[in-house]
Coordinates of all heavy atoms in Angstrom, one line a residue:
H1 N -50.8 23.7 -5.9 CA -51.7 22.6 -5.4 C -51.8 21.5 -6.5 O -51.7 20.3 -6.2 CB -53.1 23.1 -5.1 CG -53.1 24.0 -3.9 ND1 -52.7 23.7 -2.6 CD2 -53.4 25.4 -3.8 CE1 -52.7 24.7 -1.8 NE2 -53.2 25.8 -2.5
S2 N -52.1 21.9 -7.8 CA -52.3 20.9 -8.8 C -51.0 20.6 -9.6 O -50.9 19.5 -10.2 CB -53.4 21.4 -9.8 OG -53.0 22.6 -10.4
S3 N -50.1 21.5 -9.8 CA -48.9 21.3 -10.6 C -47.7 22.0 -10.0 O -47.2 23.0 -10.5 CB -49.2 21.8 -12.0 OG -49.6 23.1 -12.0
P4 N -47.2 21.5 -8.9 CA -46.0 22.1 -8.3 C -44.8 22.1 -9.2 O -44.6 21.1 -9.9 CB -45.8 21.3 -7.0 CG -46.5 20.0 -7.3 CD -47.6 20.3 -8.2
H5 N -44.0 23.1 -9.1 CA -42.8 23.2 -10.1 C -41.6 22.3 -9.6 O -40.8 22.0 -10.4 CB -42.4 24.6 -10.3 CG -42.0 25.4 -9.0 ND1 -41.0 25.1 -8.2 CD2 -42.7 26.5 -8.4 CE1 -40.9 25.9 -7.2 NE2 -41.9 26.8 -7.3
G6 N -41.6 22.0 -8.3 CA -40.5 21.1 -7.8 C -39.2 21.7 -7.7 O -38.2 20.9 -7.5
C7 N -39.0 23.0 -7.7 CA -37.7 23.6 -7.6 C -37.5 24.0 -6.1 O -38.2 24.9 -5.6 CB -37.6 24.8 -8.5 SG -36.0 25.7 -8.3
S8 N -36.4 23.5 -5.5 CA -36.2 23.8 -4.1 C -35.6 25.2 -3.9 O -35.6 25.7 -2.7 CB -35.2 22.8 -3.5 OG -34.0 22.8 -4.2
N9 N -35.1 25.9 -4.9 CA -34.6 27.2 -4.8 C -35.6 28.3 -4.8 O -35.3 29.5 -4.5 CB -33.6 27.5 -5.9 CG -32.3 26.7 -5.8 OD1 -31.8 26.5 -4.7 ND2 -31.7 26.2 -6.9
C10 N -36.8 28.0 -5.2 CA -37.8 29.0 -5.5 C -39.0 28.9 -4.6 O -39.3 27.8 -4.1 CB -38.3 28.9 -7.0 SG -36.9 29.3 -8.1
P11 N -39.8 30.0 -4.4 CA -41.1 29.9 -3.7 C -42.1 29.0 -4.4 O -42.0 28.8 -5.6 CB -41.5 31.4 -3.6 CG -40.9 32.0 -4.8 CD -39.5 31.3 -4.9
L12 N -43.1 28.6 -3.7 CA -44.0 27.6 -4.2 C -44.8 28.2 -5.5 O -45.1 27.4 -6.4 CB -45.1 27.3 -3.2 CG -44.6 26.5 -2.0 CD1 -45.7 26.3 -0.9 CD2 -44.1 25.1 -2.4
N13 N -45.0 29.5 -5.5 CA -45.9 30.0 -6.5 C -45.2 30.4 -7.8 O -45.8 30.5 -8.9 CB -46.6 31.3 -6.0 CG -45.6 32.4 -5.6 OD1 -44.9 32.3 -4.6 ND2 -45.4 33.4 -6.5
M14 N -43.8 30.4 -7.8 CA -43.1 30.8 -9.1 C -41.7 30.4 -9.1 O -40.9 30.7 -8.2 CB -43.2 32.3 -9.3 CG -42.7 32.7 -10.6 SD -42.9 34.5 -10.9 CE -42.6 34.6 -12.7
C15 N -41.3 29.6 -10.1 CA -39.9 29.3 -10.4 C -39.5 30.1 -11.6 O -39.9 29.9 -12.7 CB -39.7 27.8 -10.7 SG -38.0 27.4 -11.2
K16 N -38.7 31.2 -11.3 CA -38.2 32.0 -12.4 C -37.3 31.3 -13.4 O -37.1 31.6 -14.5 CB -37.5 33.3 -11.9 CG -38.5 34.2 -11.1 CD -37.7 35.5 -10.7 CE -38.6 36.4 -9.9 NZ -37.9 37.7 -9.6
G17 N -36.6 30.2 -12.8 CA -35.7 29.5 -13.7 C -36.4 28.8 -14.8 O -36.0 28.7 -15.9
L18 N -37.6 28.3 -14.5 CA -38.5 27.6 -15.6 C -38.9 28.7 -16.6 O -39.0 28.3 -17.8 CB -39.7 27.0 -14.9 CG -39.4 25.7 -14.1 CD1 -40.8 25.2 -13.5 CD2 -38.8 24.6 -15.0
V19 N -39.1 29.9 -16.2 CA -39.5 30.9 -17.1 C -38.3 31.2 -18.1 O -38.5 31.3 -19.3 CB -39.9 32.2 -16.4 CG1 -40.3 33.3 -17.4 CG2 -41.1 31.9 -15.5
I20 N -37.1 31.3 -17.5 CA -36.0 31.6 -18.3 C -35.7 30.5 -19.3 O -35.4 30.7 -20.5 CB -34.7 31.8 -17.5 CG1 -34.9 33.1 -16.7 CG2 -33.4 31.9 -18.3 CD1 -35.0 34.4 -17.5
E21 N -35.9 29.2 -18.9 CA -35.7 28.1 -19.8 C -36.7 28.1 -20.9 O -36.3 27.8 -22.1 CB -35.8 26.8 -19.0 CG -34.7 26.5 -18.1 CD -34.8 25.1 -17.4 OE1 -35.9 24.7 -17.1 OE2 -33.7 24.5 -17.0
R22 N -37.9 28.5 -20.6 CA -38.9 28.6 -21.7 C -38.5 29.7 -22.7 O -38.7 29.5 -23.9 CB -40.3 28.9 -21.0 CG -41.5 28.7 -22.0 CD -41.9 30.0 -22.6 NE -42.3 31.0 -21.6 CZ -42.3 32.3 -21.7 NH1 -42.0 32.8 -22.9 NH2 -42.7 33.1 -20.7
I23 N -38.0 30.8 -22.2 CA -37.6 31.9 -23.1 C -36.4 31.5 -23.9 O -36.4 31.7 -25.2 CB -37.3 33.2 -22.3 CG1 -38.5 33.7 -21.6 CG2 -36.7 34.3 -23.2 CD1 -38.3 34.9 -20.6
Q24 N -35.5 30.8 -23.3 CA -34.3 30.3 -24.0 C -34.6 29.3 -25.1 O -33.9 29.2 -26.1 CB -33.3 29.7 -23.0 CG -32.6 30.7 -22.1 CD -31.8 30.0 -21.0 OE1 -32.2 28.9 -20.6 NE2 -30.8 30.6 -20.6
A25 N -35.7 28.6 -24.9 CA -36.1 27.5 -25.9 C -37.0 28.1 -27.0 O -37.3 27.3 -28.0 CB -36.9 26.4 -25.2
E26 N -37.3 29.3 -27.0 CA -38.1 29.9 -28.1 C -37.4 29.8 -29.4 O -36.2 30.0 -29.5 CB -38.4 31.4 -27.8 CG -39.3 31.6 -26.6 CD -39.5 33.0 -26.3 OE1 -38.7 33.9 -26.8 OE2 -40.4 33.4 -25.5
P27 N -38.1 29.4 -30.5 CA -37.4 29.3 -31.8 C -37.1 30.7 -32.4 O -38.0 31.5 -32.6 CB -38.5 28.6 -32.7 CG -39.8 28.9 -32.0 CD -39.5 29.1 -30.5
V28 N -35.8 31.0 -32.5 CA -35.4 32.3 -33.0 C -34.3 32.1 -34.0 O -33.6 31.0 -34.0 CB -35.0 33.3 -31.9 CG1 -36.1 33.7 -31.0 CG2 -33.8 32.7 -31.1
E29 N -34.0 33.1 -34.8 CA -32.9 33.0 -35.8 C -31.6 33.5 -35.1 O -31.6 34.7 -34.6 CB -33.2 33.8 -37.0 CG -32.1 33.7 -38.1 CD -32.5 34.4 -39.4 OE1 -33.7 34.8 -39.5 OE2 -31.6 34.6 -40.2
G30 N -30.6 32.7 -35.1 CA -29.4 33.2 -34.5 C -29.4 33.0 -33.0 O -30.4 32.6 -32.3
K31 N -28.2 33.2 -32.4 CA -28.0 33.0 -30.9 C -28.3 34.3 -30.2 O -27.8 35.4 -30.6 CB -26.6 32.5 -30.6 CG -26.3 32.3 -29.2 CD -24.9 31.8 -28.9 CE -24.6 31.7 -27.4 NZ -25.5 30.9 -26.7
R32 N -29.1 34.2 -29.1 CA -29.4 35.4 -28.3 C -28.5 35.4 -27.1 O -28.1 34.4 -26.6 CB -30.8 35.4 -27.9 CG -31.8 35.5 -29.0 CD -33.2 35.5 -28.5 NE -33.6 34.3 -27.9 CZ -34.8 34.1 -27.3 NH1 -35.7 35.0 -27.3 NH2 -35.1 32.9 -26.8
K33 N -28.2 36.6 -26.6 CA -27.4 36.8 -25.4 C -28.4 37.4 -24.4 O -29.2 38.3 -24.7 CB -26.2 37.6 -25.6 CG -25.2 36.9 -26.5 CD -23.8 37.6 -26.4 CE -22.8 36.8 -27.2 NZ -21.4 37.3 -27.2
F34 N -28.3 36.9 -23.1 CA -29.2 37.4 -22.1 C -28.4 38.2 -21.1 O -27.3 37.9 -20.7 CB -29.8 36.2 -21.4 CG -30.9 35.5 -22.2 CD1 -30.5 34.6 -23.2 CD2 -32.2 35.7 -21.9 CE1 -31.5 34.0 -23.9 CE2 -33.2 35.0 -22.6 CZ -32.8 34.2 -23.7
I35 N -29.1 39.3 -20.6 CA -28.7 40.1 -19.5 C -29.8 40.0 -18.4 O -30.9 40.4 -18.7 CB -28.4 41.5 -19.8 CG1 -27.4 41.6 -20.9 CG2 -27.9 42.3 -18.6 CD1 -27.1 43.0 -21.5
Y36 N -29.5 39.5 -17.3 CA -30.6 39.3 -16.2 C -30.3 40.2 -15.0 O -29.2 40.2 -14.5 CB -30.6 37.8 -15.7 CG -31.8 37.6 -14.8 CD1 -33.0 37.1 -15.3 CD2 -31.7 37.8 -13.5 CE1 -34.1 36.8 -14.5 CE2 -32.7 37.6 -12.6 CZ -33.9 37.1 -13.1 OH -35.0 36.9 -12.3
L37 N -31.2 41.0 -14.6 CA -31.1 41.9 -13.5 C -32.1 41.5 -12.4 O -33.3 41.4 -12.7 CB -31.4 43.4 -13.9 CG -30.5 43.9 -15.0 CD1 -31.1 43.7 -16.4 CD2 -30.3 45.4 -14.8
G38 N -31.5 41.4 -11.2 CA -32.4 41.1 -10.1 C -31.8 41.4 -8.7 O -30.6 41.8 -8.6
D39 N -32.5 41.1 -7.7 CA -32.0 41.4 -6.3 C -32.2 40.3 -5.3 O -31.5 40.1 -4.4 CB -32.6 42.7 -5.8 CG -34.1 42.4 -5.4 OD1 -34.9 42.4 -6.3 OD2 -34.4 42.3 -4.2
G40 N -33.3 39.5 -5.5 CA -33.8 38.6 -4.4 C -33.4 37.1 -4.6 O -32.8 36.7 -5.6
K41 N -33.7 36.4 -3.5 CA -33.4 34.9 -3.6 C -34.0 34.2 -4.8 O -33.5 33.3 -5.4 CB -34.0 34.3 -2.3 CG -33.2 34.7 -1.0 CD -33.8 34.0 0.2 CE -33.0 34.4 1.5 NZ -33.6 33.7 2.7
G42 N -35.2 34.7 -5.2 CA -35.9 34.1 -6.3 C -35.2 34.3 -7.6 O -35.5 33.7 -8.6
D43 N -34.2 35.3 -7.7 CA -33.5 35.5 -8.9 C -32.2 34.7 -9.0 O -31.6 34.7 -10.0 CB -33.1 37.0 -8.9 CG -34.3 37.9 -9.0 OD1 -35.2 37.7 -9.8 OD2 -34.4 38.8 -8.1
Y44 N -32.0 33.9 -8.0 CA -30.8 33.0 -8.1 C -31.0 31.9 -9.1 O -30.1 31.6 -9.9 CB -30.5 32.4 -6.7 CG -29.2 31.6 -6.6 CD1 -28.0 32.1 -7.0 CD2 -29.3 30.2 -6.2 CE1 -26.8 31.3 -6.9 CE2 -28.2 29.5 -6.2 CZ -26.9 30.0 -6.5 OH -25.8 29.2 -6.5
C45 N -32.2 31.2 -9.0 CA -32.4 30.1 -9.9 C -32.3 30.5 -11.4 O -31.6 29.8 -12.1 CB -33.8 29.5 -9.6 SG -34.3 28.1 -10.6

């Protein structure tokens, strides 16, 4: 209602893509590699 995420791939209440982008942007030493496991439409983003 107050701050929609604006992602057409995700349900109104949660964009998992934004969560992954936030994790990817965390300051860490060296490059990290990601393994993502999921099943649903919300895991596509």
